[in-house]
Amino acid sequence: MTDQLFLKMNDNFQIPVVGLGTWKSEPGEATYQAVLDSIEAGYRHIDTARAYGNEESVGSAVRDSGVNRGDVFVTTKLRWEDEGFESTIEACEKSLNRLNCDYIDLYLIHWPLREKRNHSWKAFIELRERGLCKSIGVSNFTIEHLAEIEAKFGILPAVNQVEFHPYYYQKELLDYCNSKNIIIEAYSPLAHAKRLDEPKLGAISEELGKTPAQVLIRWSIQRGMVVLPKSVNKSRIIENFSVFDFNISDSVMAKLDELDESFVTCWDPHNPPPYAPV
Ligand code: A2P
């Protein structure tokens, strides 16, 4: 097993830097087995969401893994349909039931829904006080949304989970979050497998003797982020965690930074769908 690394969040809890992503992991056997395989490979961080429909499978696998609940960091997210004060409290309780656990390590507002996001954040603060979640954060928030939370509540999210990879290098957001001690969690850190055969990445991968996926994951770690590669394939799950035994030099990191082409593979809060305005 390779060494686990942790970052300290602004609420003093620790978060493992590599977590298993489960967006698009089919509920049932596929997700259950992926979570078991990941824990066996050394992962201690699983990222799910109400919207993925696989919280039950994640919860069962965490329970069946044989690893103490306290040693596995579990994140889930409030779907935008449940935003609002009361509905957020209820949604959290329901997620806990589906996960079949007593607390969530990290609960995130999945989407910065206009009108509702501040009510949800108020509920998140209460949920944390009640011990239903240890840490609270957000996902898909822009600098403007983060600044709004700070101005209204003075309580900043521990993390902001956004799409992040060299092909979508959101440097301004990363710099802002660093300045506010908010950790960026990189989702779709493999650009959803849509750039793994891109020639410049291929050349760097050959030079380092690591796979393109490992190079992308290591880049996120060295840029100071938590990184959430998704896979339901055991050998790729192992591959994606084998990223603690090499280092990318500053000059190669700079070459990776230059791959940026604002390539967004997922929902973009800068260009939101009309039914989920931000
Ligand atoms: P699979 O689940 O079959 O392994 P992202 O995390 O950027 O959203 O990327 C997820 C996609 O990348 C999935 O299609 C996943 O497929 C694939 N994937 C995950 N790990 C690897 C890897 N090491 N090499 C190639 N493809 C991968």
Side-chain angles (χ1 to χ4, degrees):
M1 192 196 294
T2 42
D3 285 342
Q4 184 80 236
L5 285 182
F6 295 84
L7 288 178
K8 196 177 190 185
M9 294 182 283
N10 58 22
D11 57 10
N12 286 327
F13 283 108
Q14 302 253 62
I15 182 167
V17 297
V18 177
L20 181 73
T22 65
W23 177 48
K24 298 213 165 158
S25 299
E26 286 293 316
E29 184 57 25
T31 298
Y32 178 79
Q33 194 56 48
V35 173
L36 280 184
D37 289 342
S38 72
I39 292 175
E40 189 188 332
Y43 293 63
R44 292 294 179 269
H45 178 173
I46 315 293
D47 183 273
T48 179
R50 167 68 182 99
Y52 305 166
N54 57 22
E55 286 173 314
E56 284 100 339
S57 318
V58 168
S60 307
V62 168
R63 284 180 94 79
D64 294 350
S65 68
V67 173
N68 288 335
R69 169 68 186 90
D71 293 331
V72 185
F73 189 100
V74 178
T75 298
T76 192
K77 312 183 192 84
L78 173 77
R79 61 177 186 171
W80 64 263
E81 293 93 329
D82 292 329
E83 288 191 41
F85 186 82
E86 290 299 338
S87 47
T88 293
I89 304 274
E90 267 173 45
C92 179
E93 287 163 351
K94 287 184 182 161
S95 278
L96 280 168
N97 282 339
R98 278 187 295 270
L99 287 162
N100 194 8
C101 56
D102 303 331
Y103 65 89
I104 298 163
D105 291 275
L106 175 62
Y107 196 35
L108 306 182
I109 298 180
H110 209 151
W111 184 254
L113 194 63
R114 195 186 294 163
E115 312 290 340
K116 303 264 184 89
R117 58 180 176 261
N118 290 318
H119 301 295
S120 294
W121 190 245
K122 193 166 175 233
F124 266 45
I125 294 167
E126 181 166 324
L127 288 166
R128 188 174 63 174
E129 279 163 8
R130 285 169 49 185
L132 297 193
C133 28
K134 290 191 171 177
S135 299
I136 53 177
V138 296
S139 183
N140 296 303
F141 274 46
T142 63
I143 292 174
E144 290 69 31
H145 301 134
L146 295 168
E148 180 190 73
I149 284 197
E150 183 173 23
K152 279 195 191 313
F153 297 94
I155 297 180
L156 281 169
V159 310
N160 183 23
Q161 185 181 124
V162 294
E163 178 166 352
F164 214 116
H165 43 75
Y167 301 95
Y168 185 29
Y169 180 23
Q170 304 193 64
K171 188 171 184 312
E172 199 190 340
L173 180 65
L174 180 62
D175 288 345
Y176 180 83
C177 286
N178 284 341
S179 75
K180 298 287 179 183
N181 202 11
I182 298 168
I183 290 173
I184 291 268
E185 291 191 301
Y187 76 65
S188 290
L190 309 177
H192 220 49
K194 289 179 176 160
R195 287 290 184 276
L196 293 176
D197 55 0
E198 184 275 312
K200 286 182 188 152
L201 176 61
I204 291 172
S205 142
E206 251 180 55
E207 188 185 321
L208 291 170
K210 296 289 169 182
T211 66
Q214 289 170 327
V215 172
L216 293 178
I217 294 166
R218 184 75 206 177
W219 177 85
S220 294
I221 295 173
Q222 289 187 213
R223 282 282 166 257
M225 290 176 268
V226 165
V227 54
L228 305 167
K230 174 266 176 184
S231 182
V232 289
N233 173 288
K234 186 169 184 175
S235 64
R236 290 197 281 270
I237 286 171
I238 294 169
E239 174 187 330
N240 295 345
F241 198 68
S242 304
V243 289
F244 299 108
D245 59 351
F246 72 108
N247 201 52
I248 304 178
S249 67
D250 290 349
S251 60
V252 174
M253 285 295 286
K255 279 192 204 166
L256 289 165
D257 294 346
E258 283 168 15
L259 296 176
D260 183 32
E261 48 171 296
S262 296
F263 178 55
V264 183
T265 70
C266 194
W267 272 27
D268 181 0
H270 302 95
N271 188 18
Y275 51 87
V278 301

